[in-house]
Amino acid sequence: EDQLIRVITQCDLGERREVKLAYQHLFGRDLVEHVKSETSGDFQKALICLLEAEEAPFDLDADCEAMKAAMDGWGTDEAALISLICSKTPKQMNDVNARFEELYGKSLIGRVKAETSGNFQATLMGTIRGPMKELAHAVRYCMKGWGTDDRGLITLLVHLPDFKKAALIKEYKQEFDRDLIEDIKADTSGDYERALCSLVRPAPDIWAEALEGAMKGLGTSDELLINFMVIAKDEMAEVRRAFQQKTGKSLVEWIEGECS
């Protein structure tokens, strides 16, 4: 269940569509139908609503009022919360969060946390936070307390493009006043630590370090140098800048001095 919540709530609508297509291609199964067969109750309904959601216009004040009504009094109208929250785009959800607090003096996520529980609660709260903030919370959850959820960390970090890496580091700092790289180093070690740190650092920085390593010390590993240059060719301008910042020398000058 944790993996389902992590993957689905940290994707926007377009990414969820891509995930469904990729799932069908890789496994020959419809993701929505598979989720239905493996889950139940309000948790299942929330996940299915997220996977099937399409952007649509909505009445901001009316939806905020309906969300409040679904949680007021005795009991909670879970079906209303699902349809009102899990159908929203991240931008719409941001607008709802701001307006709900403006209208009622309480945060929507705080109300939902008080009125729900378990996996259903985690799904709604992840959706309310939005993809990037939820990603930061999910990563923190994997490292918080005793032990580390390695499977969760790998799932969350292995696919990030550079713009999401930078956004994650910033969001993590804002949410927890902690440094993501330092937390990863504190919870992991060895090659695994270096691999995870590389997953959240900009790719040009990693390639710059790899190129320096191929030329540092006695002799130059020509084969490694060639491989790294070929792999990094599409981002070479950024790699050159990162190399200059790290070593104080230009990549071209370094290669000229090391190769013949």
Side-chain angles (χ1 to χ4, degrees):
E1 290 86 356
D2 286 344
Q3 287 288 78
L4 282 175
I5 296 168
R6 287 171 188 142
V7 172
I8 295 173
T9 58
Q10 62 140 324
C11 292
D12 60 28
L13 268 63
E15 289 168 334
R16 289 175 202 151
R17 285 192 291 269
E18 292 177 6
V19 168
K20 287 190 290 185
L21 290 172
Y23 197 89
Q24 180 71 48
H25 176 73
L26 288 170
F27 306 112
R29 297 192 66 171
D30 181 84
L31 177 57
V32 171
E33 293 303 317
H34 200 175
V35 169
K36 285 180 180 178
S37 71
E38 296 292 328
T39 58
S40 60
D42 293 323
F43 175 49
Q44 177 196 86
K45 293 172 185 175
L47 291 179
I48 298 305
C49 185
L50 285 168
L51 288 170
E52 294 182 336
E54 296 290 342
E55 184 170 2
F58 73 109
D59 186 318
L60 181 57
D61 283 4
D63 276 17
C64 287
E65 183 179 353
M67 290 177 195
K68 181 177 181 295
M71 295 181 283
D72 282 347
W74 292 101
T76 301
D77 187 343
E78 288 86 358
L81 289 180
I82 292 168
S83 64
L84 291 164
I85 293 172
C86 296
S87 62
K88 298 287 190 293
T89 68
K91 171 63 170 61
Q92 290 172 339
M93 202 68 249
N94 283 338
D95 293 342
V96 168
N97 284 329
R99 186 58 174 159
F100 190 94
E101 189 158 0
E102 181 182 339
L103 288 171
Y104 307 115
K106 295 182 179 180
S107 70
L108 175 60
I109 198 166
R111 285 295 314 271
V112 168
K113 185 176 182 179
E115 297 290 336
T116 58
S117 61
N119 292 323
F120 177 56
Q121 178 193 80
T123 304
L124 291 185
M125 290 180 66
T127 308
I128 292 168
R129 288 189 186 108
M132 189 51 61
K133 188 174 290 189
E134 174 60 12
L135 176 58
H137 277 260
V139 169
R140 179 66 190 142
Y141 179 80
C142 288
M143 296 186 286
K144 190 177 180 180
W146 293 100
T148 302
D149 185 342
D150 296 311
R151 185 185 182 196
L153 277 179
I154 295 168
T155 300
L156 293 164
L157 301 179
V158 74
H159 64 289
L160 299 178
D162 277 355
F163 79 92
K164 281 194 175 183
K165 295 175 186 178
L168 171 59
I169 290 172
K170 180 180 178 181
E171 194 73 49
Y172 192 90
K173 180 69 174 177
Q174 288 179 343
E175 287 294 297
F176 307 108
D177 194 24
R178 301 176 69 95
D179 184 276
L180 176 57
I181 299 291
E182 293 304 315
D183 277 357
I184 291 173
K185 289 179 178 178
D187 270 62
T188 58
S189 60
D191 291 336
Y192 179 49
E193 173 198 315
R194 288 189 288 275
L196 287 183
C197 288
S198 296
L199 289 174
V200 296
R201 294 173 57 208
D205 291 358
I206 304 304
W207 291 123
E209 289 183 2
L211 290 168
E212 182 191 21
M215 296 183 286
K216 200 172 183 179
L218 293 174
T220 297
S221 176
D222 297 330
E223 186 174 342
L224 275 178
L225 182 59
I226 292 168
N227 286 340
F228 291 148
M229 292 289 287
V230 170
I231 294 171
K233 68 182 187 301
D234 292 335
E235 298 180 273
M236 192 51 66
E238 291 85 354
V239 171
R240 289 197 300 270
R241 282 194 290 271
F243 192 92
Q244 179 81 43
Q245 290 174 353
K246 178 173 174 54
T247 67
K249 298 181 180 180
S250 78
L251 178 58
V252 172
E253 290 173 352
W254 195 306
I255 290 174
E256 287 176 344
E258 293 289 332
C259 303
S260 59

Short mmCIF file of all heavy atoms in Angstrom, two decimals, residues 11 13 21 30 32 67 81 88 94 97 110 122 129 150 158 174 178 182 191-193 200 202 211 235 238 259:
data_model
loop_
_atom_site.label_atom_id
_atom_site.label_comp_id
_atom_site.label_asym_id
_atom_site.label_seq_id
_atom_site.Cartn_x
_atom_site.Cartn_y
_atom_site.Cartn_z
N CYS A 11 2.56 11.92 -8.52
CA CYS A 11 2.44 12.19 -9.96
C CYS A 11 1.31 13.19 -10.22
O CYS A 11 0.29 13.18 -9.53
CB CYS A 11 2.10 10.90 -10.73
SG CYS A 11 3.42 9.67 -10.75
N LEU A 13 -1.52 14.72 -13.14
CA LEU A 13 -2.47 13.99 -13.99
C LEU A 13 -1.80 13.41 -15.22
O LEU A 13 -2.05 12.26 -15.60
CB LEU A 13 -3.63 14.90 -14.38
CG LEU A 13 -4.86 14.87 -13.47
CD1 LEU A 13 -4.50 15.37 -12.07
CD2 LEU A 13 -6.00 15.72 -14.05
N LEU A 21 -0.09 3.85 -19.09
CA LEU A 21 0.35 3.32 -20.38
C LEU A 21 1.57 2.43 -20.24
O LEU A 21 1.65 1.35 -20.84
CB LEU A 21 0.64 4.48 -21.35
CG LEU A 21 -0.55 5.28 -21.85
CD1 LEU A 21 -0.08 6.51 -22.63
CD2 LEU A 21 -1.45 4.41 -22.72
N ASP A 30 -4.13 -3.83 -17.10
CA ASP A 30 -4.67 -2.50 -16.87
C ASP A 30 -4.43 -2.12 -15.41
O ASP A 30 -4.84 -2.84 -14.49
CB ASP A 30 -6.16 -2.49 -17.17
CG ASP A 30 -6.77 -1.11 -16.97
OD1 ASP A 30 -6.69 -0.30 -17.90
OD2 ASP A 30 -7.29 -0.86 -15.87
N VAL A 32 -5.60 0.27 -13.47
CA VAL A 32 -6.81 0.54 -12.68
C VAL A 32 -7.45 -0.77 -12.22
O VAL A 32 -7.82 -0.92 -11.05
CB VAL A 32 -7.80 1.39 -13.48
CG1 VAL A 32 -9.14 1.49 -12.75
CG2 VAL A 32 -7.24 2.79 -13.73
N MET A 67 -16.45 20.36 1.04
CA MET A 67 -15.44 19.62 1.81
C MET A 67 -15.66 19.80 3.30
O MET A 67 -15.58 18.84 4.08
CB MET A 67 -14.04 20.09 1.43
CG MET A 67 -13.59 19.69 0.04
SD MET A 67 -11.95 20.36 -0.35
CE MET A 67 -11.91 20.12 -2.14
N LEU A 81 -15.45 13.45 0.05
CA LEU A 81 -14.04 13.86 0.12
C LEU A 81 -13.26 13.30 -1.06
O LEU A 81 -12.43 13.99 -1.66
CB LEU A 81 -13.42 13.39 1.43
CG LEU A 81 -13.87 14.12 2.70
CD1 LEU A 81 -13.15 13.54 3.92
CD2 LEU A 81 -13.60 15.62 2.59
N LYS A 88 -8.85 16.65 -8.34
CA LYS A 88 -8.23 17.95 -8.60
C LYS A 88 -6.82 17.81 -9.19
O LYS A 88 -6.09 16.86 -8.90
CB LYS A 88 -8.13 18.76 -7.31
CG LYS A 88 -9.45 19.09 -6.65
CD LYS A 88 -10.22 20.15 -7.40
CE LYS A 88 -11.43 20.65 -6.64
NZ LYS A 88 -12.50 19.64 -6.45
N ASN A 94 -3.85 23.46 -4.83
CA ASN A 94 -3.22 24.60 -4.17
C ASN A 94 -4.22 25.72 -3.93
O ASN A 94 -4.22 26.35 -2.87
CB ASN A 94 -2.06 25.12 -5.03
CG ASN A 94 -0.82 24.26 -4.95
OD1 ASN A 94 -0.64 23.51 -3.99
ND2 ASN A 94 0.03 24.35 -5.96
N ASN A 97 -6.54 24.68 -1.08
CA ASN A 97 -5.89 24.79 0.23
C ASN A 97 -5.89 26.22 0.75
O ASN A 97 -6.22 26.49 1.91
CB ASN A 97 -4.44 24.28 0.14
CG ASN A 97 -4.35 22.78 0.09
OD1 ASN A 97 -5.18 22.07 0.66
ND2 ASN A 97 -3.35 22.27 -0.60
N GLY A 110 -5.25 19.64 7.83
CA GLY A 110 -5.46 19.40 9.25
C GLY A 110 -6.82 18.80 9.54
O GLY A 110 -6.95 17.88 10.37
N ALA A 122 -3.68 8.68 4.33
CA ALA A 122 -2.40 8.95 3.67
C ALA A 122 -2.60 9.36 2.22
O ALA A 122 -1.89 10.24 1.70
CB ALA A 122 -1.49 7.73 3.77
N ARG A 129 -1.36 17.72 -0.36
CA ARG A 129 -0.04 18.36 -0.37
C ARG A 129 0.40 18.72 -1.78
O ARG A 129 1.06 19.73 -1.99
CB ARG A 129 1.00 17.41 0.25
CG ARG A 129 0.90 17.23 1.74
CD ARG A 129 2.10 16.47 2.27
NE ARG A 129 1.96 16.16 3.68
CZ ARG A 129 1.73 14.93 4.16
NH1 ARG A 129 1.63 13.91 3.32
NH2 ARG A 129 1.62 14.74 5.45
N ASP A 150 14.50 1.23 2.27
CA ASP A 150 15.34 1.33 1.08
C ASP A 150 14.53 1.21 -0.20
O ASP A 150 14.77 1.93 -1.17
CB ASP A 150 16.42 0.23 1.11
CG ASP A 150 17.36 0.40 2.29
OD1 ASP A 150 17.86 1.52 2.48
OD2 ASP A 150 17.59 -0.57 3.02
N VAL A 158 14.80 7.31 -8.02
CA VAL A 158 15.55 6.80 -9.16
C VAL A 158 15.17 7.44 -10.49
O VAL A 158 15.93 7.41 -11.45
CB VAL A 158 15.40 5.26 -9.24
CG1 VAL A 158 14.00 4.89 -9.74
CG2 VAL A 158 16.47 4.64 -10.11
N GLN A 174 12.42 23.27 3.13
CA GLN A 174 11.32 24.11 3.60
C GLN A 174 10.40 23.36 4.55
O GLN A 174 9.95 23.92 5.56
CB GLN A 174 10.51 24.62 2.40
CG GLN A 174 11.22 25.67 1.56
CD GLN A 174 10.39 26.12 0.38
OE1 GLN A 174 9.43 25.47 -0.03
NE2 GLN A 174 10.78 27.25 -0.22
N ARG A 178 15.83 20.58 7.04
CA ARG A 178 16.90 19.58 7.02
C ARG A 178 17.50 19.53 5.62
O ARG A 178 16.84 19.87 4.64
CB ARG A 178 16.39 18.19 7.40
CG ARG A 178 15.76 18.10 8.78
CD ARG A 178 15.19 16.72 9.05
NE ARG A 178 16.27 15.75 9.18
CZ ARG A 178 16.79 15.37 10.34
NH1 ARG A 178 16.33 15.87 11.48
NH2 ARG A 178 17.76 14.47 10.39
N GLU A 182 22.50 15.39 3.33
CA GLU A 182 23.06 14.99 4.62
C GLU A 182 22.23 13.91 5.28
O GLU A 182 22.77 13.00 5.93
CB GLU A 182 23.19 16.21 5.55
CG GLU A 182 24.21 17.24 5.09
CD GLU A 182 25.59 16.63 4.88
OE1 GLU A 182 26.04 15.85 5.75
OE2 GLU A 182 26.22 16.92 3.84
N ASP A 191 28.64 2.33 -1.41
CA ASP A 191 28.21 2.58 -2.79
C ASP A 191 26.73 2.96 -2.85
O ASP A 191 26.33 3.76 -3.70
CB ASP A 191 28.46 1.34 -3.65
CG ASP A 191 29.93 1.07 -3.86
OD1 ASP A 191 30.73 2.03 -3.76
OD2 ASP A 191 30.30 -0.09 -4.13
N TYR A 192 25.93 2.38 -1.96
CA TYR A 192 24.50 2.70 -1.93
C TYR A 192 24.29 4.17 -1.59
O TYR A 192 23.48 4.86 -2.22
CB TYR A 192 23.81 1.80 -0.92
CG TYR A 192 22.33 2.04 -0.75
CD1 TYR A 192 21.48 2.11 -1.85
CD2 TYR A 192 21.76 2.16 0.53
CE1 TYR A 192 20.12 2.31 -1.70
CE2 TYR A 192 20.40 2.35 0.69
CZ TYR A 192 19.59 2.43 -0.43
OH TYR A 192 18.24 2.63 -0.27
N GLU A 193 25.03 4.67 -0.61
CA GLU A 193 24.95 6.09 -0.25
C GLU A 193 25.33 6.97 -1.43
O GLU A 193 24.63 7.94 -1.76
CB GLU A 193 25.89 6.39 0.92
CG GLU A 193 26.02 7.87 1.25
CD GLU A 193 27.26 8.16 2.09
OE1 GLU A 193 27.51 7.42 3.05
OE2 GLU A 193 27.97 9.13 1.76
N VAL A 200 19.95 12.53 -6.52
CA VAL A 200 19.30 13.79 -6.21
C VAL A 200 20.17 15.01 -6.51
O VAL A 200 19.75 16.14 -6.29
CB VAL A 200 18.83 13.84 -4.73
CG1 VAL A 200 17.79 12.78 -4.48
CG2 VAL A 200 20.00 13.68 -3.77
N PRO A 202 22.39 17.29 -9.41
CA PRO A 202 22.30 17.53 -10.85
C PRO A 202 23.24 16.62 -11.63
O PRO A 202 24.40 16.42 -11.24
CB PRO A 202 22.71 19.00 -10.99
CG PRO A 202 22.45 19.61 -9.65
CD PRO A 202 22.72 18.52 -8.65
N LEU A 211 34.43 12.58 -14.67
CA LEU A 211 35.51 12.94 -15.59
C LEU A 211 36.79 13.27 -14.82
O LEU A 211 37.88 12.86 -15.22
CB LEU A 211 35.08 14.13 -16.44
CG LEU A 211 34.00 13.85 -17.49
CD1 LEU A 211 33.45 15.14 -18.06
CD2 LEU A 211 34.55 12.97 -18.60
N GLU A 235 24.74 17.11 -22.48
CA GLU A 235 24.74 18.13 -21.44
C GLU A 235 26.14 18.70 -21.24
O GLU A 235 26.49 19.16 -20.16
CB GLU A 235 24.22 17.56 -20.12
CG GLU A 235 22.79 17.06 -20.17
CD GLU A 235 22.32 16.50 -18.84
OE1 GLU A 235 22.54 15.32 -18.59
OE2 GLU A 235 21.75 17.28 -18.05
N GLU A 238 26.76 22.19 -19.61
CA GLU A 238 26.56 22.20 -18.16
C GLU A 238 27.67 21.44 -17.46
O GLU A 238 28.11 21.83 -16.37
CB GLU A 238 25.20 21.57 -17.81
CG GLU A 238 24.00 22.38 -18.23
CD GLU A 238 23.60 22.14 -19.67
OE1 GLU A 238 24.33 21.43 -20.39
OE2 GLU A 238 22.56 22.68 -20.09
N CYS A 259 45.93 14.00 -21.82
CA CYS A 259 45.85 13.11 -22.96
C CYS A 259 46.81 13.57 -24.05
O CYS A 259 47.28 14.71 -24.08
CB CYS A 259 44.42 13.09 -23.54
SG CYS A 259 43.17 12.60 -22.32
#
